[in-house]
Amino acid sequence: MTRTLPAPAAAGTDERFGPRLWGLLLVLAGNMLIDALEVSVAVVALPAIGTDLGQPPTVTQWAMTGFAAGFGGLLLFGARVVTLLGRRRVYLAALLAFAAASVLSALAHDPWLLLATRLAKGFCAALTAPTGLAIITGHFPEGGPRNRAVSVYTLFGAGGFTAGLILSGWLTETSWRWAFAFPAPVVLLLFACGLRLIPRSDEGTVPSTPRGATENTAKGRSVPTGAAESALKGRGELRDQPPPGRTRTTTRHFGIPSALTLLGALLALVQGITRLPAHGWSDPRAVGPLCTAALLLSAFRQIERRSTAPLLNLGPLRGNPTLTRSAVGAACLNGSYLGLLFVLTYQAQTLAGWSPLRTAFALLPAAAPPALTAPAAGRLVARFGAPRLIVAGAACAFAGTLLQFRPHPWPLDYPARMLPTLLLVGAAFVLSFAALNVQAMSRLAPADRLTGSGLYQTAVQLAAVLAVALCAALLAAHAPVPGAGPAAAAAACRPALTLVAALGLLGLLVGLTGLIRTQPPPSSPHHGE
Protein backbone atom coordinates (compact mmCIF):
# COMPACT_ATOMS: atom_id res chain seq x y z
CA MET A 1 0.00 0.00 0.00
CA THR A 2 1.32 3.44 -0.89
CA ARG A 3 2.46 5.29 2.16
CA THR A 4 1.02 8.77 2.41
CA LEU A 5 2.41 11.76 4.20
CA PRO A 6 0.21 14.22 6.02
CA ALA A 7 -0.27 17.66 4.56
CA PRO A 8 1.93 20.37 6.03
CA ALA A 9 0.62 21.75 9.27
CA ALA A 10 0.35 25.26 7.88
CA ALA A 11 -1.61 24.22 4.81
CA GLY A 12 -4.80 25.60 6.22
CA THR A 13 -3.43 29.13 6.55
CA ASP A 14 -0.45 29.27 4.18
CA GLU A 15 -1.13 27.74 0.80
CA ARG A 16 2.29 28.49 -0.66
CA PHE A 17 4.60 25.63 -1.55
CA GLY A 18 8.34 25.64 -1.30
CA PRO A 19 11.20 25.69 -3.82
CA ARG A 20 11.28 21.90 -4.25
CA LEU A 21 7.61 21.72 -5.24
CA TRP A 22 8.05 24.73 -7.54
CA GLY A 23 10.99 22.95 -9.16
CA LEU A 24 8.94 19.77 -9.60
CA LEU A 25 6.08 21.76 -11.11
CA LEU A 26 8.37 23.50 -13.60
CA VAL A 27 9.83 20.17 -14.71
CA LEU A 28 6.38 18.66 -15.28
CA ALA A 29 4.91 21.79 -16.87
CA GLY A 30 7.99 22.32 -19.03
CA ASN A 31 7.71 18.82 -20.41
CA MET A 32 3.98 19.35 -21.00
CA LEU A 33 4.83 22.43 -23.04
CA ILE A 34 7.32 20.45 -25.15
CA ASP A 35 4.75 17.69 -25.74
CA ALA A 36 2.17 20.29 -26.75
CA LEU A 37 4.33 22.14 -29.25
CA GLU A 38 5.32 18.92 -31.04
CA VAL A 39 2.10 19.09 -33.07
CA SER A 40 2.32 22.75 -34.10
CA VAL A 41 6.07 22.62 -34.75
CA ALA A 42 5.38 20.31 -37.68
CA VAL A 43 2.52 22.32 -39.19
CA VAL A 44 4.57 25.22 -40.53
CA ALA A 45 7.60 23.05 -41.34
CA LEU A 46 5.76 20.59 -43.62
CA PRO A 47 6.28 22.45 -46.94
CA ALA A 48 9.99 22.90 -46.17
CA ILE A 49 10.31 19.20 -45.33
CA GLY A 50 8.69 18.30 -48.64
CA THR A 51 11.04 20.56 -50.59
CA ASP A 52 14.14 19.28 -48.80
CA LEU A 53 13.27 15.59 -49.02
CA GLY A 54 11.58 15.85 -52.42
CA GLN A 55 8.29 14.41 -51.16
CA PRO A 56 4.63 15.35 -51.79
CA PRO A 57 2.18 16.32 -49.00
CA THR A 58 0.92 12.73 -48.83
CA VAL A 59 4.36 11.73 -47.50
CA THR A 60 5.33 14.81 -45.51
CA GLN A 61 2.05 14.61 -43.58
CA TRP A 62 3.66 11.74 -41.65
CA ALA A 63 5.76 14.31 -39.78
CA MET A 64 2.50 15.59 -38.31
CA THR A 65 0.38 12.46 -38.12
CA GLY A 66 3.26 10.26 -36.91
CA PHE A 67 3.39 12.07 -33.58
CA ALA A 68 -0.39 11.89 -33.16
CA ALA A 69 -0.37 8.20 -34.14
CA GLY A 70 2.29 7.39 -31.57
CA PHE A 71 0.40 9.36 -28.94
CA GLY A 72 -3.12 8.14 -29.65
CA GLY A 73 -2.32 4.65 -30.88
CA LEU A 74 -0.12 3.83 -27.89
CA LEU A 75 -1.84 5.85 -25.16
CA LEU A 76 -3.62 2.87 -23.61
CA PHE A 77 -0.44 0.80 -23.83
CA GLY A 78 1.53 3.64 -22.27
CA ALA A 79 -0.84 3.72 -19.31
CA ARG A 80 -0.24 0.00 -18.81
CA VAL A 81 3.55 0.49 -18.96
CA VAL A 82 3.41 3.23 -16.33
CA THR A 83 1.15 1.12 -14.15
CA LEU A 84 3.53 -1.82 -14.15
CA LEU A 85 6.94 -0.14 -14.14
CA GLY A 86 6.25 2.96 -12.06
CA ARG A 87 5.77 6.57 -13.01
CA ARG A 88 9.18 7.94 -11.99
CA ARG A 89 11.34 5.51 -13.92
CA VAL A 90 9.07 5.55 -16.97
CA TYR A 91 8.83 9.35 -16.95
CA LEU A 92 12.60 9.79 -16.82
CA ALA A 93 13.24 7.11 -19.45
CA ALA A 94 10.68 8.75 -21.73
CA LEU A 95 12.48 12.09 -21.42
CA LEU A 96 15.75 10.54 -22.57
CA ALA A 97 14.06 8.73 -25.45
CA PHE A 98 12.31 11.95 -26.47
CA ALA A 99 15.61 13.84 -26.62
CA ALA A 100 17.25 11.10 -28.69
CA ALA A 101 14.30 10.97 -31.09
CA SER A 102 14.46 14.77 -31.50
CA VAL A 103 18.08 14.57 -32.62
CA LEU A 104 17.36 11.72 -35.03
CA SER A 105 14.38 13.62 -36.47
CA ALA A 106 16.62 16.56 -37.26
CA LEU A 107 19.20 14.32 -38.95
CA ALA A 108 16.72 12.30 -41.00
CA HIS A 109 17.22 12.27 -44.77
CA ASP A 110 14.68 9.53 -45.33
CA PRO A 111 10.96 10.18 -44.74
CA TRP A 112 10.49 6.79 -43.05
CA LEU A 113 13.21 7.52 -40.48
CA LEU A 114 11.43 10.80 -39.82
CA LEU A 115 8.18 8.87 -39.33
CA ALA A 116 9.83 6.42 -36.93
CA THR A 117 11.22 9.20 -34.77
CA ARG A 118 7.91 11.04 -34.73
CA LEU A 119 6.16 7.84 -33.65
CA ALA A 120 8.71 7.43 -30.87
CA LYS A 121 8.15 10.99 -29.67
CA GLY A 122 4.39 10.45 -29.69
CA PHE A 123 4.80 7.35 -27.54
CA CYS A 124 7.01 9.28 -25.13
CA ALA A 125 4.28 11.90 -24.84
CA ALA A 126 1.76 9.13 -24.17
CA LEU A 127 3.94 8.10 -21.23
CA THR A 128 4.62 11.53 -19.75
CA ALA A 129 1.55 13.71 -20.39
CA PRO A 130 -1.02 11.84 -18.25
CA THR A 131 1.63 10.88 -15.68
CA GLY A 132 2.63 14.49 -15.08
CA LEU A 133 -0.84 15.40 -13.84
CA ALA A 134 -0.95 12.26 -11.70
CA ILE A 135 2.30 13.32 -10.00
CA ILE A 136 0.87 16.79 -9.36
CA THR A 137 -2.29 15.31 -7.89
CA GLY A 138 -0.35 12.95 -5.67
CA HIS A 139 2.30 15.30 -4.31
CA PHE A 140 0.72 18.76 -4.05
CA PRO A 141 -1.54 19.43 -1.05
CA GLU A 142 -5.23 19.64 -1.80
CA GLY A 143 -6.79 23.05 -2.10
CA GLY A 144 -4.98 26.20 -3.19
CA PRO A 145 -1.55 24.63 -3.81
CA ARG A 146 -2.90 21.84 -5.97
CA ASN A 147 -5.30 24.06 -7.89
CA ARG A 148 -2.50 26.53 -8.54
CA ALA A 149 -0.21 23.74 -9.72
CA VAL A 150 -2.88 22.37 -12.08
CA SER A 151 -3.45 25.88 -13.45
CA VAL A 152 0.26 26.33 -14.19
CA TYR A 153 0.41 22.88 -15.78
CA THR A 154 -2.66 23.69 -17.89
CA LEU A 155 -1.30 27.06 -18.97
CA PHE A 156 2.01 25.58 -20.11
CA GLY A 157 0.23 22.88 -22.06
CA ALA A 158 -2.20 25.27 -23.69
CA GLY A 159 0.61 27.69 -24.54
CA GLY A 160 2.74 24.99 -26.10
CA PHE A 161 0.84 24.99 -29.37
CA THR A 162 1.27 28.74 -29.76
CA ALA A 163 4.95 28.56 -28.84
CA GLY A 164 5.45 25.77 -31.36
CA LEU A 165 4.03 27.84 -34.20
CA ILE A 166 6.29 30.79 -33.50
CA LEU A 167 9.43 28.73 -32.92
CA SER A 168 8.79 26.58 -35.96
CA GLY A 169 8.23 29.59 -38.19
CA TRP A 170 11.37 31.27 -36.93
CA LEU A 171 13.65 28.21 -37.02
CA THR A 172 12.34 26.90 -40.33
CA GLU A 173 13.50 30.16 -41.94
CA THR A 174 16.98 28.68 -41.43
CA SER A 175 16.17 24.97 -41.67
CA TRP A 176 13.25 22.78 -40.68
CA ARG A 177 15.81 20.53 -38.97
CA TRP A 178 16.38 23.12 -36.25
CA ALA A 179 12.65 23.12 -35.54
CA PHE A 180 12.83 19.38 -34.81
CA ALA A 181 16.14 19.47 -32.94
CA PHE A 182 15.62 22.31 -30.46
CA PRO A 183 13.54 20.26 -27.93
CA ALA A 184 16.50 17.91 -27.29
CA PRO A 185 18.63 20.18 -25.02
CA VAL A 186 15.52 21.44 -23.23
CA VAL A 187 14.35 17.91 -22.46
CA LEU A 188 17.82 16.89 -21.29
CA LEU A 189 17.76 19.81 -18.86
CA LEU A 190 14.34 18.68 -17.63
CA PHE A 191 15.73 15.16 -17.21
CA ALA A 192 18.65 16.41 -15.12
CA CYS A 193 16.29 18.36 -12.86
CA GLY A 194 13.80 15.50 -12.78
CA LEU A 195 16.41 13.12 -11.39
CA ARG A 196 16.42 15.21 -8.21
CA LEU A 197 12.86 16.45 -8.10
CA ILE A 198 10.49 13.73 -9.38
CA PRO A 199 9.52 11.77 -6.25
CA ARG A 200 9.29 8.05 -5.81
CA SER A 201 5.90 6.74 -4.81
CA ASP A 202 7.17 5.75 -1.38
CA GLU A 203 8.18 9.36 -0.68
CA GLY A 204 4.56 10.12 0.04
CA THR A 205 1.45 11.26 -1.74
CA VAL A 206 -1.52 13.37 -0.92
CA PRO A 207 -4.45 10.96 -0.96
CA SER A 208 -7.33 13.19 -1.93
CA THR A 209 -8.45 14.01 -5.45
CA PRO A 210 -8.63 17.37 -7.20
CA ARG A 211 -11.80 19.38 -6.92
CA GLY A 212 -13.08 19.12 -10.44
CA ALA A 213 -9.93 20.54 -11.93
CA THR A 214 -10.34 21.26 -15.59
CA GLU A 215 -7.20 20.79 -17.59
CA ASN A 216 -6.55 20.73 -21.28
CA THR A 217 -3.64 21.20 -23.56
CA ALA A 218 -4.97 22.73 -26.63
CA LYS A 219 -5.43 20.93 -29.95
CA GLY A 220 -5.35 17.31 -29.13
CA ARG A 221 -2.98 17.48 -26.22
CA SER A 222 -5.33 17.34 -23.27
CA VAL A 223 -4.61 15.55 -20.00
CA PRO A 224 -7.74 14.14 -18.39
CA THR A 225 -8.47 14.76 -14.73
CA GLY A 226 -9.88 11.27 -14.41
CA ALA A 227 -6.53 9.65 -15.05
CA ALA A 228 -5.00 11.44 -12.10
CA GLU A 229 -7.92 10.82 -9.79
CA SER A 230 -8.25 7.15 -10.55
CA ALA A 231 -4.53 6.63 -10.21
CA LEU A 232 -4.75 7.60 -6.55
CA LYS A 233 -7.52 5.27 -5.46
CA GLY A 234 -5.16 2.90 -3.73
CA ARG A 235 -5.49 0.10 -6.26
CA GLY A 236 -1.85 0.02 -7.26
CA GLU A 237 -1.90 2.14 -10.40
CA LEU A 238 1.19 4.12 -11.25
CA ARG A 239 3.39 2.71 -8.49
CA ASP A 240 7.13 2.31 -8.62
CA GLN A 241 6.77 -1.28 -7.41
CA PRO A 242 4.14 -3.92 -8.13
CA PRO A 243 1.31 -3.79 -5.60
CA PRO A 244 1.46 -6.25 -2.68
CA GLY A 245 -0.53 -9.38 -3.12
CA ARG A 246 -0.03 -9.66 -6.88
CA THR A 247 2.43 -11.95 -8.50
CA ARG A 248 4.92 -10.65 -11.04
CA THR A 249 3.23 -12.82 -13.66
CA THR A 250 -0.11 -11.05 -13.34
CA THR A 251 1.32 -7.55 -13.09
CA ARG A 252 3.60 -7.94 -16.13
CA HIS A 253 0.84 -8.32 -18.69
CA PHE A 254 1.82 -5.39 -20.89
CA GLY A 255 -0.45 -6.18 -23.83
CA ILE A 256 2.31 -5.78 -26.42
CA PRO A 257 0.52 -7.82 -29.15
CA SER A 258 -2.58 -5.64 -28.80
CA ALA A 259 -0.54 -2.45 -28.93
CA LEU A 260 1.43 -3.51 -32.01
CA THR A 261 -1.62 -4.67 -33.97
CA LEU A 262 -3.57 -1.49 -33.15
CA LEU A 263 -0.69 0.80 -34.11
CA GLY A 264 0.05 -1.25 -37.23
CA ALA A 265 -3.58 -1.05 -38.32
CA LEU A 266 -3.59 2.72 -37.88
CA LEU A 267 -0.37 3.20 -39.86
CA ALA A 268 -1.53 0.88 -42.65
CA LEU A 269 -4.84 2.73 -42.87
CA VAL A 270 -3.11 6.10 -43.23
CA GLN A 271 -0.70 4.66 -45.78
CA GLY A 272 -3.57 3.31 -47.86
CA ILE A 273 -5.49 6.59 -47.68
CA THR A 274 -2.54 8.68 -48.83
CA ARG A 275 -1.64 6.31 -51.68
CA LEU A 276 -5.10 6.29 -53.24
CA PRO A 277 -4.72 9.58 -55.17
CA ALA A 278 -1.58 8.41 -56.96
CA HIS A 279 -2.46 4.74 -57.51
CA GLY A 280 -6.25 4.35 -57.38
CA TRP A 281 -8.46 1.57 -56.04
CA SER A 282 -7.20 -1.01 -58.52
CA ASP A 283 -3.53 -0.77 -57.54
CA PRO A 284 -2.22 -3.13 -54.83
CA ARG A 285 0.05 -0.37 -53.55
CA ALA A 286 -3.06 1.44 -52.31
CA VAL A 287 -5.48 -1.43 -51.69
CA GLY A 288 -2.84 -3.59 -50.00
CA PRO A 289 -2.31 -1.28 -46.98
CA LEU A 290 -6.08 -0.89 -46.56
CA CYS A 291 -6.54 -4.67 -46.52
CA THR A 292 -3.63 -4.97 -44.10
CA ALA A 293 -5.31 -2.45 -41.81
CA ALA A 294 -8.52 -4.48 -41.83
CA LEU A 295 -6.64 -7.71 -41.04
CA LEU A 296 -4.68 -6.09 -38.22
CA LEU A 297 -7.86 -4.65 -36.71
CA SER A 298 -9.41 -8.10 -36.82
CA ALA A 299 -6.32 -9.55 -35.16
CA PHE A 300 -6.44 -6.82 -32.50
CA ARG A 301 -10.07 -7.70 -31.76
CA GLN A 302 -9.27 -11.38 -31.40
CA ILE A 303 -6.25 -10.74 -29.17
CA GLU A 304 -8.30 -8.44 -26.94
CA ARG A 305 -11.16 -10.94 -26.66
CA ARG A 306 -8.80 -13.68 -25.51
CA SER A 307 -6.75 -11.50 -23.18
CA THR A 308 -7.23 -11.62 -19.43
CA ALA A 309 -6.19 -7.95 -19.25
CA PRO A 310 -7.26 -6.24 -22.50
CA LEU A 311 -5.90 -2.80 -23.32
CA LEU A 312 -9.16 -1.51 -24.76
CA ASN A 313 -11.88 -1.64 -22.14
CA LEU A 314 -15.11 -0.23 -23.55
CA GLY A 315 -16.96 -0.63 -20.27
CA PRO A 316 -17.15 3.10 -19.47
CA LEU A 317 -18.79 3.76 -22.85
CA ARG A 318 -21.65 1.33 -22.24
CA GLY A 319 -24.70 3.11 -20.96
CA ASN A 320 -22.80 6.41 -20.89
CA PRO A 321 -23.82 8.52 -23.88
CA THR A 322 -22.21 11.57 -22.27
CA LEU A 323 -18.71 10.14 -22.61
CA THR A 324 -19.40 8.88 -26.13
CA ARG A 325 -20.83 12.22 -27.20
CA SER A 326 -17.91 14.11 -25.67
CA ALA A 327 -15.33 11.87 -27.33
CA VAL A 328 -16.96 12.27 -30.75
CA GLY A 329 -17.32 16.02 -30.28
CA ALA A 330 -13.69 16.46 -29.20
CA ALA A 331 -12.50 14.23 -32.05
CA CYS A 332 -14.42 16.35 -34.58
CA LEU A 333 -13.09 19.58 -33.08
CA ASN A 334 -9.48 18.43 -33.03
CA GLY A 335 -9.62 16.69 -36.40
CA SER A 336 -11.25 19.62 -38.17
CA TYR A 337 -8.84 22.08 -36.56
CA LEU A 338 -5.66 20.27 -37.56
CA GLY A 339 -7.08 19.46 -40.98
CA LEU A 340 -7.86 23.14 -41.52
CA LEU A 341 -4.37 24.22 -40.45
CA PHE A 342 -2.88 21.66 -42.82
CA VAL A 343 -4.92 23.06 -45.73
CA LEU A 344 -4.25 26.70 -44.86
CA THR A 345 -0.52 26.06 -44.54
CA TYR A 346 -0.56 24.38 -47.96
CA GLN A 347 -2.39 27.38 -49.40
CA ALA A 348 -0.11 29.94 -47.78
CA GLN A 349 3.30 28.38 -48.47
CA THR A 350 2.91 26.01 -51.40
CA LEU A 351 0.37 27.96 -53.47
CA ALA A 352 0.84 31.58 -52.34
CA GLY A 353 4.58 31.44 -51.60
CA TRP A 354 4.50 32.79 -48.05
CA SER A 355 7.54 32.30 -45.82
CA PRO A 356 7.34 29.93 -42.80
CA LEU A 357 7.56 32.83 -40.33
CA ARG A 358 4.79 34.78 -42.06
CA THR A 359 2.63 31.66 -42.08
CA ALA A 360 3.27 31.04 -38.38
CA PHE A 361 2.20 34.55 -37.39
CA ALA A 362 -0.79 34.31 -39.71
CA LEU A 363 -2.04 31.21 -37.84
CA LEU A 364 -1.65 32.75 -34.38
CA PRO A 365 -5.27 34.03 -34.11
CA ALA A 366 -6.41 30.41 -33.92
CA ALA A 367 -3.74 29.34 -31.43
CA ALA A 368 -3.26 32.25 -29.03
CA PRO A 369 -6.82 32.70 -27.61
CA PRO A 370 -7.05 29.18 -26.10
CA ALA A 371 -3.67 29.63 -24.43
CA LEU A 372 -4.55 33.05 -23.02
CA THR A 373 -7.93 31.96 -21.66
CA ALA A 374 -6.93 28.53 -20.33
CA PRO A 375 -6.83 29.62 -16.64
CA ALA A 376 -10.45 30.85 -16.88
CA ALA A 377 -11.79 27.74 -18.64
CA GLY A 378 -13.14 26.17 -15.47
CA ARG A 379 -15.05 29.30 -14.46
CA LEU A 380 -16.51 29.54 -17.96
CA VAL A 381 -17.84 25.99 -17.75
CA ALA A 382 -19.22 26.56 -14.24
CA ARG A 383 -21.12 29.66 -15.36
CA PHE A 384 -22.63 28.56 -18.65
CA GLY A 385 -22.61 24.76 -18.50
CA ALA A 386 -20.67 22.36 -20.68
CA PRO A 387 -23.41 21.51 -23.25
CA ARG A 388 -24.08 25.15 -24.19
CA LEU A 389 -20.41 25.94 -24.55
CA ILE A 390 -19.82 22.82 -26.64
CA VAL A 391 -22.59 23.79 -29.08
CA ALA A 392 -21.38 27.39 -29.27
CA GLY A 393 -17.81 26.26 -29.94
CA ALA A 394 -18.85 23.74 -32.58
CA ALA A 395 -20.95 26.40 -34.31
CA CYS A 396 -17.97 28.78 -34.40
CA ALA A 397 -15.68 26.10 -35.84
CA PHE A 398 -18.23 25.14 -38.51
CA ALA A 399 -18.92 28.78 -39.43
CA GLY A 400 -15.19 29.50 -39.68
CA THR A 401 -14.73 26.70 -42.19
CA LEU A 402 -17.74 27.80 -44.23
CA LEU A 403 -16.10 31.20 -44.73
CA GLN A 404 -13.44 29.47 -46.80
CA PHE A 405 -16.04 28.65 -49.46
CA ARG A 406 -16.80 32.28 -50.30
CA PRO A 407 -15.61 33.55 -53.69
CA HIS A 408 -12.31 35.27 -53.12
CA PRO A 409 -9.47 36.78 -55.08
CA TRP A 410 -6.06 35.20 -55.41
CA PRO A 411 -3.34 35.60 -54.12
CA LEU A 412 -4.55 34.68 -50.67
CA ASP A 413 -6.59 37.43 -49.02
CA TYR A 414 -5.63 37.23 -45.34
CA PRO A 415 -7.68 40.06 -43.71
CA ALA A 416 -10.97 39.26 -45.45
CA ARG A 417 -10.77 35.49 -45.74
CA MET A 418 -8.25 33.65 -43.58
CA LEU A 419 -8.28 35.87 -40.48
CA PRO A 420 -12.05 35.61 -39.78
CA THR A 421 -11.81 31.84 -40.11
CA LEU A 422 -8.91 31.62 -37.68
CA LEU A 423 -10.61 33.90 -35.15
CA LEU A 424 -13.76 31.76 -35.20
CA VAL A 425 -11.76 28.55 -34.81
CA GLY A 426 -9.81 30.07 -31.92
CA ALA A 427 -13.12 31.03 -30.29
CA ALA A 428 -14.32 27.45 -30.76
CA PHE A 429 -11.48 26.14 -28.64
CA VAL A 430 -11.96 28.82 -25.99
CA LEU A 431 -15.61 27.89 -25.66
CA SER A 432 -15.71 24.14 -25.97
CA PHE A 433 -12.42 22.32 -25.49
CA ALA A 434 -12.38 22.48 -21.70
CA ALA A 435 -16.14 21.90 -21.63
CA LEU A 436 -15.70 18.69 -23.59
CA ASN A 437 -13.11 17.49 -21.06
CA VAL A 438 -15.42 18.27 -18.14
CA GLN A 439 -18.44 16.66 -19.79
CA ALA A 440 -16.48 13.53 -20.69
CA MET A 441 -15.65 12.85 -17.03
CA SER A 442 -18.92 14.10 -15.55
CA ARG A 443 -20.79 10.80 -15.29
CA LEU A 444 -17.93 8.38 -14.80
CA ALA A 445 -17.58 6.59 -11.52
CA PRO A 446 -14.15 7.14 -9.91
CA ALA A 447 -13.12 3.57 -10.72
CA ASP A 448 -13.83 4.14 -14.43
CA ARG A 449 -12.14 7.51 -14.88
CA LEU A 450 -8.69 6.21 -15.79
CA THR A 451 -10.14 3.97 -18.52
CA GLY A 452 -12.68 6.54 -19.67
CA SER A 453 -10.13 9.31 -20.00
CA GLY A 454 -7.84 6.99 -21.97
CA LEU A 455 -10.64 6.22 -24.42
CA TYR A 456 -11.45 9.93 -24.74
CA GLN A 457 -7.88 10.98 -25.44
CA THR A 458 -7.35 8.11 -27.87
CA ALA A 459 -10.36 9.26 -29.90
CA VAL A 460 -9.04 12.84 -29.96
CA GLN A 461 -5.61 11.83 -31.22
CA LEU A 462 -6.80 9.27 -33.78
CA ALA A 463 -9.14 11.85 -35.27
CA ALA A 464 -6.15 14.12 -35.85
CA VAL A 465 -4.29 11.32 -37.62
CA LEU A 466 -7.14 10.43 -39.98
CA ALA A 467 -8.25 14.02 -40.68
CA VAL A 468 -4.78 15.18 -41.71
CA ALA A 469 -4.18 12.05 -43.81
CA LEU A 470 -7.50 12.51 -45.63
CA CYS A 471 -6.80 16.21 -46.23
CA ALA A 472 -3.37 15.35 -47.66
CA ALA A 473 -4.93 12.75 -49.95
CA LEU A 474 -7.57 15.18 -51.20
CA LEU A 475 -5.02 17.93 -51.82
CA ALA A 476 -2.88 15.51 -53.79
CA ALA A 477 -5.83 14.23 -55.81
CA HIS A 478 -6.88 17.76 -56.83
CA ALA A 479 -3.50 19.48 -57.04
CA PRO A 480 -3.44 22.19 -59.73
CA VAL A 481 -1.26 21.59 -62.74
CA PRO A 482 1.87 23.74 -63.06
CA GLY A 483 0.98 27.19 -64.32
CA ALA A 484 -2.68 26.90 -63.35
CA GLY A 485 -4.58 30.12 -62.75
CA PRO A 486 -6.01 31.49 -59.48
CA ALA A 487 -9.34 29.74 -59.91
CA ALA A 488 -7.64 26.35 -60.23
CA ALA A 489 -5.44 27.02 -57.20
CA ALA A 490 -8.47 27.89 -55.08
CA ALA A 491 -10.46 24.92 -56.37
CA ALA A 492 -7.62 22.54 -55.49
CA CYS A 493 -8.29 23.07 -51.78
CA ARG A 494 -12.08 22.88 -51.93
CA PRO A 495 -12.46 19.08 -51.48
CA ALA A 496 -10.19 19.08 -48.42
CA LEU A 497 -12.08 22.04 -46.98
CA THR A 498 -15.34 20.17 -47.59
CA LEU A 499 -14.01 17.32 -45.45
CA VAL A 500 -13.07 19.77 -42.70
CA ALA A 501 -16.52 21.36 -42.87
CA ALA A 502 -18.18 17.94 -42.69
CA LEU A 503 -16.25 17.16 -39.49
CA GLY A 504 -17.30 20.51 -38.06
CA LEU A 505 -20.95 19.87 -38.93
CA LEU A 506 -20.82 16.43 -37.30
CA GLY A 507 -19.36 17.96 -34.15
CA LEU A 508 -22.16 20.55 -34.10
CA LEU A 509 -24.88 17.93 -34.53
CA VAL A 510 -23.39 15.75 -31.79
CA GLY A 511 -23.15 18.77 -29.51
CA LEU A 512 -26.79 19.66 -30.09
CA THR A 513 -27.86 16.26 -28.80
CA GLY A 514 -26.21 17.19 -25.49
CA LEU A 515 -28.73 19.99 -24.97
CA ILE A 516 -31.43 17.36 -24.44
CA ARG A 517 -31.28 16.89 -20.70
CA THR A 518 -31.44 13.36 -19.36
CA GLN A 519 -31.46 12.17 -15.79
CA PRO A 520 -28.06 10.85 -14.67
CA PRO A 521 -27.74 7.38 -13.20
CA PRO A 522 -28.35 7.43 -9.42
CA SER A 523 -24.80 6.34 -8.64
CA SER A 524 -23.08 8.81 -10.99
CA PRO A 525 -22.13 12.43 -10.36
CA HIS A 526 -23.70 15.07 -12.56
CA HIS A 527 -21.53 17.98 -13.57
CA GLY A 528 -21.76 20.19 -16.53
CA GLU A 529 -24.77 18.49 -18.04
Side-chain angles (χ1 to χ4, degrees), residues 37 40 157-167 219 221 364 366-372:
L37 62 79
S40 58
F161 194 88
T162 304
L165 280 179
I166 297 173
L167 285 170
K219 291 57 151 193
R221 303 173 300 279
L364 278 184
L372 296 175

Side-chain angles (χ1 to χ4, degrees), residues 155-443:
L155 183 61
F156 272 61
F161 194 88
T162 304
L165 280 179
I166 297 173
L167 285 170
S168 178
W170 175 48
L171 294 172
T172 304
E173 291 283 316
T174 302
S175 172
W176 66 268
R177 299 182 185 279
W178 286 111
F180 283 74
F182 83 88
V186 179
V187 172
L188 288 176
L189 177 62
L190 294 175
F191 171 81
C193 297
L195 282 175
R196 287 183 55 87
L197 296 171
I198 296 177
R200 301 181 185 274
S201 61
D202 58 3
E203 291 178 10
T205 61
V206 180
S208 50
T209 59
R211 301 174 183 173
T214 302
E215 62 298 305
N216 66 80
T217 62
K219 291 57 151 193
R221 303 173 300 279
S222 64
V223 183
T225 303
E229 293 177 341
S230 186
L232 298 171
K233 293 299 179 180
R235 299 180 300 157
E237 287 92 346
L238 301 179
R239 294 170 179 259
D240 282 340
Q241 298 297 332
R246 295 186 187 176
T247 66
R248 186 163 297 274
T249 301
T250 58
T251 59
R252 295 290 176 175
H253 188 95
F254 286 95
I256 294 176
S258 293
L260 291 179
T261 51
L262 178 60
L263 180 62
L266 178 62
L267 297 179
L269 178 60
V270 173
Q271 180 74 344
I273 289 172
T274 54
R275 284 188 173 184
L276 279 174
H279 303 289
W281 288 100
S282 60
D283 195 316
R285 286 174 290 183
V287 179
L290 295 176
C291 294
T292 301
L295 291 174
L296 287 173
L297 281 175
S298 178
F300 170 77
R301 182 171 179 271
Q302 293 300 319
I303 292 170
E304 289 285 280
R305 288 181 62 183
R306 297 173 182 175
S307 174
T308 57
L311 284 180
L312 186 61
N313 177 11
L314 297 178
L317 291 176
R318 298 190 181 99
N320 189 349
T322 301
L323 175 58
T324 304
R325 186 170 61 246
S326 301
V328 174
C332 290
L333 181 65
N334 195 45
S336 63
Y337 177 84
L338 292 177
L340 178 65
L341 290 191
F342 186 86
V343 177
L344 293 181
T345 301
Y346 175 82
Q347 285 184 338
Q349 292 193 53
T350 304
L351 298 182
W354 290 12
S355 70
L357 187 59
R358 182 183 178 185
T359 304
F361 278 104
L363 297 178
L364 278 184
L372 296 175
T373 60
R379 293 192 297 272
L380 197 66
V381 175
R383 180 173 181 180
F384 296 103
R388 293 183 182 88
L389 292 175
I390 290 168
V391 171
C396 287
F398 181 52
T401 306
L402 289 183
L403 290 178
Q404 293 295 303
F405 291 92
R406 296 180 305 165
H408 60 278
W410 196 267
L412 198 58
D413 186 355
Y414 182 77
R417 181 170 172 265
M418 186 186 289
L419 180 59
T421 292
L422 294 171
L423 289 173
L424 283 169
V425 172
F429 269 89
V430 170
L431 292 170
S432 63
F433 200 74
L436 286 162
N437 277 268
V438 171
Q439 182 177 266
M441 299 296 108
S442 65
R443 296 188 181 182

